[in-house]
Amino acid sequence: MKCGNTACRREDLLLYAVTDRSWLNGQTLYEQVESALKGGVTFVQLREKDLDEEAFLAEAKEIRKLCAEYHVPFVINDNVEIAAAVNADGVHVGQSDMEALDVRKKLGPDKIIGVSAQTVEQALKAQEHGADYLGVGAVFPTGSKADAVEVSHDTVRAICEAVDIPVIAIGGITKENVTELAGTGICGIAVISAIFAQGDIESAARELKARTEEIL
């Protein structure tokens, strides 16, 4: 099983970090992302809900350059225009955002497109419309997304069996519960607080990566 896009490799999706400025604690987001990269994060998604476009654009340029130095794919959450403007590796969209087909038209054939899915039907549609990977969840209760819908591990397994593109689990995953995802068919996990809310981001990423490798 591989990504539909040559720019997206299955192994790159092992430990997928989604940024959140809720826990900066005097640091910059750039510094926190660099700590996560040093800890072994394999994929970075820049997620900003409240920054104005100018600040978002400037931040995206900086973090894209940082991820390139570590040879780690960098995508933007939702904002296709910012992704195009900074030449990000791709974009991740939810069910209520732009359709994968339309994203592909805007970004071209070489960019990575990730799509959130909660059902087999949504997963198959995303694959048909050109998604390179799926983010499925929330697989555990989560406080990071107010409107998150819980997805059973049986549904995660069914989605993995139904599609040919890689599937990552997201939502409420911690170093304590990640082992419960063994055998579901996922190729990696996406986390926010399990890395960025920790006192030592680099160590948290390293430990989470090791535990994820064990279950896969």
Side-chain angles (χ1 to χ4, degrees):
M1 188 188 291
K2 61 181 178 61
C3 289
N5 194 311
T6 54
C8 175
R9 302 178 306 167
R10 183 180 171 85
E11 57 267 32
D12 290 336
L13 295 163
L14 177 71
L15 182 57
Y16 183 124
V18 182
T19 67
D20 190 324
R21 54 181 50 253
S22 301
W23 304 287
L24 291 182
N25 295 320
Q27 289 186 295
T28 64
L29 194 70
Y30 183 98
E31 289 169 334
Q32 291 200 333
V33 171
E34 183 158 36
S35 294
L37 289 164
K38 286 177 179 175
V41 158
T42 60
F43 205 108
V44 172
Q45 179 192 132
L46 181 62
R47 182 172 180 258
E48 290 289 2
K49 296 296 184 182
D50 302 313
L51 278 190
D52 63 60
E53 287 288 298
E54 188 178 350
F56 191 176
L57 183 63
E59 179 183 77
K61 284 179 180 175
E62 282 193 343
I63 295 181
R64 184 197 69 80
K65 187 178 176 185
L66 174 65
C67 290
E69 289 171 8
Y70 282 83
H71 307 289
V72 166
F74 169 72
V75 300
I76 303 285
N77 181 63
D78 292 352
N79 197 315
V80 179
E81 286 72 27
I82 292 279
V86 304
N87 194 27
D89 294 305
V91 72
H92 186 94
V93 293
Q95 286 295 314
S96 59
D97 303 315
M98 190 185 290
E99 255 285 351
L101 271 174
D102 298 321
V103 176
R104 183 63 74 201
K105 285 175 189 170
K106 272 187 170 264
L107 293 185
D110 300 325
K111 297 298 184 182
I112 300 167
I113 298 176
V115 177
S116 298
Q118 287 80 40
T119 66
V120 170
E121 182 184 27
Q122 289 175 355
L124 287 169
K125 182 180 178 185
Q127 175 177 266
E128 184 185 338
H129 287 184
D132 293 301
Y133 72 89
L134 300 172
V136 175
V139 293
F140 297 106
T142 176
S144 296
K145 201 173 179 208
D147 59 348
V149 176
E150 276 198 58
V151 176
S152 74
H153 296 177
D154 285 342
T155 298
V156 176
R157 191 176 293 108
I159 288 172
C160 290
E161 290 171 355
V163 298
D164 297 317
I165 55 176
V167 174
I168 54 172
I170 189 168
I173 300 170
T174 66
K175 63 181 182 181
E176 289 82 17
N177 65 23
V178 68
T179 53
E180 295 176 37
L181 295 168
T184 55
I186 59 168
C187 70
I189 60 168
V191 295
I192 303 175
S193 61
I195 289 178
F196 293 111
Q198 307 310 305
D200 186 336
I201 289 171
E202 185 177 338
S203 294
R206 188 172 290 113
E207 184 174 3
L208 196 54
K209 185 179 184 181
R211 293 197 179 197
T212 306
E213 286 172 332
E214 284 173 15
I215 69 160
L216 299 182

